Amino acid sequence: MLQLSKIVCPTDFSDPAMAALAMAKGLAKQFGAKLYLIHVVPPIPLAPASIGFETALYEDELRKSAEEEMKKLVQELRSQGIEAEGKTVRGEPCDQIVEHAKEVAADMIVIATHGHTGWKHVLFGSVAEKVVRLAGCPVLSFRPNAH
């Protein structure tokens, strides 16, 4: 029988990610599991100094904004009686998600499929696909309805 006590749910705060969170919330309630949310700020390619764009400052702003969103999300979950913890990190999304699941000894990862399509998908692949291939625990991946 399936037993879940720790569920990792990656989020980029998009609609598909919120649909995955709704699925993870339902599982957490049903099994009395703790939710571990993670947001990954991907690396930003360095811009030439001549254009006046400060990559480090931009990444820092992205991280701060994500941390604020994560705090709100965790507070909302806790107000609904769900044990939750949030983490915001920098790095490659797939690697960080898989590593976080390993760190917390997750029983499952719940992730939405979305993001790159067409030629971008061919070049970069899908974070969800990579997580499914590399995770050391079961992964529930689904495509939220477009409606």
Side-chain angles (χ1 to χ4, degrees), residues 6-146:
K6 298 175 182 178
I7 301 169
V8 168
C9 187
T11 184
D12 60 5
F13 310 107
S14 66
D15 289 342
M18 291 299 108
L21 180 57
M23 174 77 71
K25 258 178 21 178
L27 289 167
K29 284 182 180 178
Q30 182 176 353
F31 288 94
K34 181 174 181 177
L35 281 181
Y36 292 86
L37 306 179
I38 183 168
H39 174 78
V40 182
V41 177
I44 307 295
L46 291 176
S50 62
I51 66 170
F53 183 79
E54 295 187 39
T55 304
L57 182 61
Y58 180 66
E59 277 185 344
D60 204 42
E61 288 301 315
L62 285 175
R63 182 189 50 76
K64 286 178 185 175
S65 175
E67 285 173 351
E68 287 302 314
E69 283 297 311
M70 185 64 76
K71 283 180 190 174
K72 290 179 196 172
L73 204 49
V74 168
Q75 287 174 347
E76 181 183 323
L77 290 166
R78 288 177 179 166
S79 73
Q80 297 171 12
I82 297 170
E83 189 178 359
E85 182 179 300
K87 181 177 184 178
T88 301
V89 297
R90 287 183 178 160
E92 291 297 331
C94 174
D95 296 339
Q96 293 297 322
I97 293 164
V98 169
E99 182 60 31
H100 187 55
K102 186 177 176 181
E103 284 174 11
V104 301
D107 300 306
M108 178 177 280
I109 299 170
V110 177
I111 189 169
T113 60
H114 68 290
H116 299 301
T117 57
W119 67 269
K120 287 182 182 178
H121 179 78
V122 171
L123 283 178
F124 302 112
S126 158
V127 171
E129 282 179 59
K130 291 175 186 173
V131 168
V132 167
R133 281 197 317 266
L134 299 174
C137 65
V139 179
L140 173 59
S141 68
F142 66 100
R143 183 176 182 176
N145 287 340

